[in-house]
Amino acid sequence: MSEPPASQPTLRDRPESEADAIIVGAGPAGATTAYYLARSGLDVLLLEKTAFPREKVCGDGLTPRAVKQLTAMGITFEDKGWVRNHGLRIIGGGVRLELPWPDLAEYPGFGLVRTRQDFDQILAENAVAAGARLRERTNVTGPVIDERSNRIVGVTAKDPDGAPVTFRAPLVIAADGNSSRLSVAMGVRKRDDRPMGVAVRTYFTSPRHDDDFLESWLELWDSTGGKDVLLPGYGWVFGVGDGTSNVGLGILNSTASFQDVDYRKLLRRWTASMPEEWGFTEENQRGAIRGAALPMGFNRTPHYARGLMLVGDAGGMVNPFNGEGIAYAMEAGRIAADVVVQARGRSTAQSRERALLRYPDILADTYGGYYTLGRYFVQVIGRPEFMRYATRYGLRRRTLMRFTLKMLANLTEPTRGDAMDRVINGLSKMAPAA
Ligand SMILES: Cc1cc2nc3c(=O)[nH]c(=O)nc-3n(C[C@H](O)[C@H](O)[C@H](O)COP(=O)(O)OP(=O)(O)OC[C@H]3O[C@@H](n4cnc5c(N)ncnc54)[C@H](O)[C@@H]3O)c2cc1C
């Protein structure tokens, strides 16, 4: 192999603190973006404030959409940490309905459960194997802004010993989750006109640990203020396959009582109402009940400005219909990487910027209409009378529920699908982009 001319800087000459792109946060969004950028030959720094393996509050559920993204990155599911599921079991209104995942060419016919304890580590290791440079226990503290251009050109951070460090790159990707301090520091804030959820979960040792269906309970009653109110949201029981079940619930912000609900108490009351033999008792509880926010329907925009791209929860990319965020974080990571690679191939700064500005447009074209429908959905299910009607009558109609599953899980053929797919795709196209 011939050496490059001595005058050209090579990767080896470059200080370790410089890169083609910096990614802040090694969750599913950051690790996926890093994987695709590194595979395209970019020098990528992936900065993560924690060290793997580490706990992450989540339901640990992966739909066929997420499986597709994992498969695209060469991840296989042979080891026993992966639990396959065949569909969704819905419980409500006295009905228990098992709906297999739709049979589609676009998506695999199975979902998975894998605890985030090591799921994120698998993705991060995959990015490292592709060439990304991962720095754990590196807490990013703020942006470095170029005064002349007013663009982000790097980040400040604390290294594992707490010492201040600076990293530099012409492009920075915020994949730092719901709070996204980096976005906030760059003036990109949350939008109040977009839905938000709160979810809590814990684990129980349970005979149900190897359930091969994801289970969702549609009736969550709250008695805050002495009145029973049907809440907009659902509870879940996902088998983790290691002797435990992940049990949790998520509620949307479309009811007046959203702020007042004691989520931990609600979870305790709900699990106490379950059959004794499932073992969802205090003695069987493994770990505390922990919760976090679900930023939905693009609740932080713009997704690109001044050299900063937002990916995953940082950009509020959770699906408002079902609270799924991992698949969308990975999909957006792939889109972001593709845009960055194309931008790098341009010869002028102006042309590069135009290419980067494609990112918010592609996101809006891909998810905008569907997320707008999701926003309407969140409003509608915030009405207790609708929820009551839907659980009482809707659940008994299997065809309607098959449609609902496709709609809620966003699982349709993009083209040449059946009548249901065409209706869902048509509605998403007609709705104005979020
Ligand atoms: C209770 C609950 C249950 C859920 N269940 C599901 C589910 O079953 N299925 C599903 O698909 N989605 C679920 N979600 C949503 C899902 O967890 C998120 O959408 C997903 O984690 C988003 O990935 P991300 O990479 O964008 O962000 P995150 O997973 O939040 O990753 C962000 C990363 O950035 C790091 N970071 C943050 N700040 C800094 C900093 N300053 N410097 C360096 N690193 C930093 C963090 O340590 C973290 O590793 C659930 C959420 C909750 C709260």
Side-chain angles (χ1 to χ4, degrees):
M1 230 167 51
S2 63
E3 284 288 312
S7 57
Q8 265 183 30
T10 65
L11 267 185
R12 271 168 289 152
D13 302 328
R14 191 187 234 173
E16 286 225 336
S17 58
E18 288 183 16
D20 295 325
I22 291 171
I23 301 173
V24 180
T32 305
T33 315
Y35 168 82
Y36 283 110
L37 286 178
R39 265 218 351 193
S40 297
L42 271 73
D43 178 28
V44 186
L45 258 176
L46 179 57
L47 309 177
E48 168 57 46
K49 71 175 177 190
T50 65
F52 296 114
R54 56 105 172 90
E55 183 187 13
K56 170 84 199 171
V57 183
C58 189
D60 308 326
L62 300 163
T63 67
R65 262 195 108 92
V67 177
K68 178 174 175 167
Q69 291 309 312
L70 294 169
T71 305
M73 288 190 278
I75 292 169
T76 54
F77 315 116
E78 272 92 56
D79 88 52
K80 65 179 174 43
W82 300 100
V83 182
R84 284 182 188 235
N85 57 67
H86 308 300
L88 188 68
R89 184 181 308 115
I90 304 177
I91 295 174
V95 178
R96 184 179 178 278
L97 192 64
E98 276 188 359
L99 295 165
W101 295 119
D103 179 21
L104 300 170
E106 183 70 11
Y107 297 100
F110 68 98
L112 294 160
V113 172
R114 175 112 199 183
T115 154
R116 296 288 295 276
Q117 183 71 29
D118 62 0
F119 175 79
D120 292 28
Q121 182 176 9
I122 292 169
L123 291 194
E125 281 170 358
N126 206 45
V128 170
R133 290 188 283 141
L134 170 67
R135 282 183 176 236
E136 294 168 78
R137 288 190 285 129
T138 302
N139 190 353
V140 170
T141 48
V144 176
I145 296 173
D146 175 56
E147 272 181 21
R148 215 161 31 94
S149 61
N150 198 25
R151 292 168 68 90
I152 186 168
V153 290
V155 294
T156 53
K158 292 247 167 73
D159 79 2
D161 300 320
V165 268
T166 301
F167 299 98
R168 288 183 185 275
L171 194 88
V172 178
I173 289 142
D176 48 349
N178 167 59
S179 315
S180 192
R181 299 249 156 76
L182 188 62
S183 305
V184 175
M186 287 288 289
V188 189
R189 287 169 200 289
K190 277 193 181 139
R191 298 176 53 152
D192 294 334
D193 60 341
R194 298 291 152 96
M196 191 75 186
V198 169
V200 294
R201 67 94 177 95
T202 189
Y203 296 90
F204 292 101
T205 301
S206 168
R208 299 202 51 197
H209 76 107
D210 56 358
D211 194 350
D212 60 358
F213 267 70
L214 296 182
E215 185 169 288
S216 114
W217 291 57
L218 298 189
E219 281 174 296
L220 295 173
W221 293 90
D222 178 46
S223 56
T224 311
K227 218 169 73 188
D228 280 346
V229 179
L230 190 52
L231 295 170
Y234 68 89
W236 69 80
V237 179
F238 297 166
V240 183
D242 62 352
T244 67
S245 295
N246 180 319
V247 185
L249 54 87
I251 308 288
L252 294 158
N253 65 350
S254 52
T255 45
S257 59
F258 177 73
Q259 308 282 359
D260 310 324
V261 176
D262 181 338
Y263 296 94
R264 286 171 178 78
K265 215 157 112 191
L266 188 63
L267 181 64
R268 268 189 230 109
R269 218 182 28 237
W270 175 54
T271 49
S273 72
M274 291 188 176
E276 215 180 302
E277 61 275 18
W278 294 357
F280 298 159
T281 59
E282 236 170 88
E283 312 83 78
N284 288 341
Q285 191 178 322
R286 297 288 162 264
I289 299 176
R290 294 189 59 201
L294 292 168
M296 298 171 161
F298 291 160
N299 90 335
R300 189 183 275 114
T301 57
H303 288 129
Y304 172 74
R306 295 163 58 211
L308 183 76
M309 260 174 165
L310 276 51
V311 184
D313 275 15
M317 298 184 187
V318 173
N319 179 352
F321 282 104
N322 66 354
E324 178 182 19
I326 298 170
Y328 298 93
M330 294 191 292
E331 289 178 19
R334 193 175 180 178
I335 295 170
D338 191 39
V339 166
V340 173
V341 169
Q342 290 304 324
R344 249 178 66 92
R346 305 288 176 92
S347 51
T348 65
Q350 199 187 11
S351 171
R352 274 197 293 279
E353 191 64 4
R354 279 190 66 200
L356 290 170
L357 283 163
R358 284 285 297 140
Y359 177 60
D361 290 347
I362 297 172
L363 288 178
D365 292 348
T366 312
Y367 307 105
Y370 179 76
Y371 280 3
T372 297
L373 295 178
R375 235 163 56 219
Y376 301 150
F377 170 80
V378 167
Q379 292 307 323
V380 171
I381 69 164
R383 299 203 193 117
E385 65 280 7
F386 173 84
M387 278 294 278
R388 225 178 343 255
Y389 187 85
T391 47
R392 194 171 302 161
Y393 301 107
L395 276 170
R396 292 173 199 281
R397 292 172 172 74
R398 205 176 163 87
T399 308
L400 176 65
M401 289 314 293
R402 274 187 42 232
F403 176 85
T404 307
L405 176 64
K406 283 190 162 197
M407 181 87 194
L408 268 49
N410 200 4
L411 290 171
T412 59
E413 302 285 20
T415 55
R416 296 190 174 81
D418 63 14
M420 289 187 192
D421 295 357
R422 290 200 295 275
V423 170
I424 295 168
N425 296 341
L427 287 170
S428 300
K429 279 211 183 80
M430 275 182 333

